[in-house]
């Protein structure tokens, strides 16, 4: 049992290839900006990166207040020549800058068709290695954790945003969406194969409402942060922990429909439903977050009085609360059996002061039948994560993470300490050194110590 848990923990630590889902250089190529416009060290988002994400990949910094272009005419069908000339003069510069989102002119035909001028495709490769002197089967060193991921993202004339992520290859990587659980990670095959992780489309402000409608496969908006926006090798426990045989995590991709909106620039709301195969009951979730100080959720920077400094010139605080109610089951012959009803309630806090960032999050859960047995057994769970991060330079970040997990599944609880250092010699290359110490309170489970090295590059 002890060896199984050690192997399972090591595999869970390697779940890192999803950590590059939204850091795609296609955005830099499209808008002709540096990666540091949206990131500290990629893929961790800064304030404007958060606004860019919340606004469905619309680049708001170059918006211009210009006249809205006239509707297109059908060539060769007796259209108005004067109207066509007016449209042509508006398209390359003014209209393209307003609705295409980038500086300069664009190809007129592509702009009229709402097709991106550049193919919005990027790729990310991840190579990880670890050392665990207590690993079973002489597996102290592991250099086989790697993945290659394709991503596409952007917007169609600011009306629709889209994103797709496809794992082309992964080896030695734990993938929770494949259905493997914490207790069986050691048996995960080395090559997990290809998988479509995310594919969604967002309709921005339909009928001039403040709402956005997202549909497809995506990560439901729950926590303030996604596992895809971290620079560490391991994920936040609040985002990645599972209970029993249930594969659910609060950051796992789901098929669903979500409504979200930015209200009064500093309040973000989201609510959605999830459709799971093999059952007719839909799952639902909700999220509320509010920001004080710093750039707002639309990317607007605050006014600073240079003659009278204030702590609020450099301090921003963001808080969030969310909830998820769902049901999953064993699927036999296309029919769900032995359902597990569960819920998750969480709170997040982020404080940013100059080069210092503090994160804190907590998730409380309850599962009615996480082992999908004929006899129900209620399991309570709790996960707490805190992380302090300091940016020494534009390409060096040091951080310390502490986590606490309690799970009635194995009547166990543990404390996790994980310091790490991230270095980015170029904006599209990231090197991370991380040490992870897991202190199990339960005496029957041995403590776990793992050293990780993570290398990622994106192009």
């Amino acid at each position: 049992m002890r060896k199984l848990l050690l192997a399972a923990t090591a595999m869970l630590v390697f779940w890192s290839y999803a950590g590059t889902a939204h850091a795609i250089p296609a955005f830099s190529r499209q808008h002709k900006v540096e990666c540091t416009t949206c990131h500290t060290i990629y893929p961790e988002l800064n304030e404007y990166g958060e606004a860019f994400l919340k606004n469905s990949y619309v680049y708001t910094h170059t918006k211009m207040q210009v006249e809205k272009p006239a509707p297109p005419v059908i060539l060769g069908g007796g259209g108005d020549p004067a109207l066509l000339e007016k449209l042509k003069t508006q398209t390359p510069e003014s209209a393209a800058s307003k609705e295409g989102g980038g500086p300069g002119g664009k190809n007129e035909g592509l702009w009229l068709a709402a097709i991106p001028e550049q193919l919005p495709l990027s790729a990310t490769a991840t190579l990880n290695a670890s050392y665990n002197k207590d690993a079973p089967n002489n597996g102290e060193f592991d250099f086989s954790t790697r993945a290659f991921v394709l991503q596409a993202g952007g917007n169609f004339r600011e009306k629709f945003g889209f994103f797709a992520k496809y794992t082309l290859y992964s080896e030695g990587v734990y993938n929770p969406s494949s259905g493997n659980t914490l207790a069986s990670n050691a048996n995960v095959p080395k090559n997990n194969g290809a998988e479509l992780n995310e594919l969604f489309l967002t309709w921005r402000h339909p009928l001039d409402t403040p709402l956005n409608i997202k549909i497809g496969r995506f990560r439901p908006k729950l926590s303030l942060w996604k596992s895809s926006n971290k620079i560490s090798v391991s994920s936040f426990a609040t985002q990645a922990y599972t209970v029993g045989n249930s594969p659910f995590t609060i950051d796992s991709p789901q098929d669903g429909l979500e409504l979200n909106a930015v209200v009064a620039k500093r309040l973000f709301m989201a609510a959605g439903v999830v459709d799971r195969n093999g059952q007719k009951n839909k799952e639902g979730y909700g999220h509320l977050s509010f920001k004080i100080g710093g750039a707002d959720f639309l990317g607007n920077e605050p006014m600073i009085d240079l003659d009278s400094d204030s702590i609020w010139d450099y301090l921003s605080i963001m808080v969030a609360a969310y909830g998820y109610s769902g049901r999953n089951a064993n699927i036999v012959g296309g029919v769900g059996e032995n359902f597990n009803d569960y819920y998750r309630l969480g709170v997040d806090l982020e404080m940013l002061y100059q080069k210092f960032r503090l994160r804190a999050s907590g998730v409380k859960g309850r599962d009615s039948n996480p082992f999908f047995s004929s006899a129900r057994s209620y399991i309570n769970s709790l996960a707490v994560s805190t992380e302090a991060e300091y940016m020494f330079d534009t390409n060096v970040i040091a951080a310390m993470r502490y986590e606490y997990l309690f799970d009635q599944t194995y009547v166990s609880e543990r404390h996790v300490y994980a310091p790490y250092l991230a270095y980015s010699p170029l904006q599209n290359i990231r090197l991370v050194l991380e040490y992870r110490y897991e202190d199990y309170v339960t005496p029957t489970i041995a403590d776990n110590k793992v050293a990780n090295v993570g290398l990622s590059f994106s192009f």
Side-chain angles (χ1 to χ4, degrees), residues 276 279 282-284 324-328 340-343:
R276 194 182 297 276
Q279 63 186 72
K282 301 296 185 290
E283 304 179 10
Y324 191 106
S325 176
R327 165 184 283 194
N328 52 19
N340 171 42
D341 295 297
Y342 60 92
Y343 74 81

Side-chain angles (χ1 to χ4, degrees), residues 309-366:
D309 285 347
S310 168
I311 188 175
W312 291 105
D313 292 338
Y314 311 99
L315 177 67
S316 68
I317 299 175
M318 188 160 45
V319 294
Y322 58 88
Y324 191 106
S325 176
R327 165 184 283 194
N328 52 19
N330 280 336
I331 305 300
V332 179
V335 179
E337 295 186 354
N338 300 326
F339 289 102
N340 171 42
D341 295 297
Y342 60 92
Y343 74 81
R344 301 288 186 270
L345 298 175
V347 292
D348 289 337
L349 168 69
E350 177 175 288
M351 184 182 71
L352 179 64
Y353 182 74
Q354 294 185 343
K355 296 182 178 182
F356 176 77
R357 187 196 299 257
L358 176 67
R359 296 186 179 97
S361 62
V363 177
K364 176 179 173 54
R366 183 174 175 86

Side-chain angles (χ1 to χ4, degrees), residues 149-415:
V149 180
L150 299 179
Q151 306 124 339
N155 68 83
F156 303 125
R157 283 170 52 181
E158 299 190 4
K159 302 300 181 186
F160 291 87
F162 67 92
F163 187 84
K165 176 193 171 186
Y166 185 79
T167 300
L168 194 64
Y169 173 84
S170 64
E171 184 170 344
V173 180
Y174 167 55
N175 187 354
S177 62
S178 66
N180 296 296
T181 65
L182 182 61
S184 60
N185 293 342
N187 299 320
V188 176
K190 278 293 183 182
N191 184 5
N192 289 323
E195 180 180 2
L196 181 64
N197 303 98
E198 292 185 84
L199 177 60
F200 62 84
L201 184 72
T202 302
W203 184 7
R204 303 185 68 248
H205 311 312
L207 305 178
D208 294 325
T209 64
L211 293 174
N212 303 308
I213 304 176
K214 179 189 292 188
I215 187 170
R217 184 167 181 79
F218 54 86
R219 288 175 164 83
K221 181 55 181 175
L222 295 172
S223 175
L224 281 177
W225 322 284
K226 293 175 177 288
S227 61
S228 56
N229 300 141
K230 64 179 175 60
I231 57 178
S232 61
V233 175
S234 58
S235 296
F236 278 94
T238 49
Q239 298 172 335
Y241 86 95
T242 59
V243 178
N245 292 335
S246 171
F248 176 79
T249 67
I250 69 168
D251 202 50
S252 57
Q254 309 278 2
D255 298 316
L257 173 70
E258 178 181 295
L259 300 180
N260 60 64
V262 174
V263 180
K265 299 182 180 180
R266 293 188 175 273
L267 176 65
F268 182 78
M269 303 185 299
V273 293
V274 171
D275 180 29
R276 194 182 297 276
N277 291 334
Q279 63 186 72
K280 62 182 180 180
N281 288 38
K282 301 296 185 290
E283 304 179 10
Y285 61 92
H287 167 100
L288 283 174
S289 56
F290 183 74
K291 188 174 185 181
I292 304 171
D296 61 32
F297 289 144
L298 298 180
N300 300 311
E301 297 286 348
M303 297 297 294
I304 297 179
D305 185 357
L306 299 179
D307 297 327
S308 178
D309 285 347
S310 168
I311 188 175
W312 291 105
D313 292 338
Y314 311 99
L315 177 67
S316 68
I317 299 175
M318 188 160 45
V319 294
Y322 58 88
Y324 191 106
S325 176
R327 165 184 283 194
N328 52 19
N330 280 336
I331 305 300
V332 179
V335 179
E337 295 186 354
N338 300 326
F339 289 102
N340 171 42
D341 295 297
Y342 60 92
Y343 74 81
R344 301 288 186 270
L345 298 175
V347 292
D348 289 337
L349 168 69
E350 177 175 288
M351 184 182 71
L352 179 64
Y353 182 74
Q354 294 185 343
K355 296 182 178 182
F356 176 77
R357 187 196 299 257
L358 176 67
R359 296 186 179 97
S361 62
V363 177
K364 176 179 173 54
R366 183 174 175 86
D367 292 66
S368 66
N369 187 17
F371 292 99
F372 307 118
S373 62
S374 56
R376 285 177 172 263
S377 176
Y378 284 90
I379 299 294
N380 293 314
S381 58
L382 174 68
V384 177
S385 296
T386 59
E387 182 177 272
E389 171 188 295
Y390 187 81
M391 176 180 285
F392 289 95
D393 201 348
T394 56
N395 60 348
V396 178
I397 287 178
M400 175 66 189
R401 182 184 301 169
Y402 166 76
E403 297 177 326
Y404 171 80
L405 295 97
F406 171 76
D407 184 353
Q408 285 183 325
T409 303
Y410 305 107
V411 195
S412 67
E413 57 182 315
R414 65 184 184 269
H415 302 272

Side-chain angles (χ1 to χ4, degrees), residues 44-91:
E44 183 182 77
L45 297 175
N46 58 26
E47 288 188 305
Y48 187 71
E50 290 286 352
F52 185 68
L53 179 63
K54 284 182 170 61
N55 286 278
S56 305
Y57 315 115
V58 171
Y59 191 77
T60 59
H61 271 193
T62 57
K63 278 194 171 186
M64 299 174 60
Q65 297 299 323
V66 296
E67 182 181 355
K68 200 170 183 178
V73 296
I74 301 175
L75 299 178
D80 186 346
L83 187 61
L84 177 59
E85 289 303 317
K86 181 179 180 182
L87 177 62
K88 285 183 177 180
T89 60
Q90 292 177 337
T91 299

Side-chain angles (χ1 to χ4, degrees), residues 104-120:
K106 289 194 173 185
N107 178 285
E108 177 186 322
L110 293 179
W111 183 84
L112 292 175
I115 297 175
E117 190 167 0
Q118 295 180 338
L119 187 64

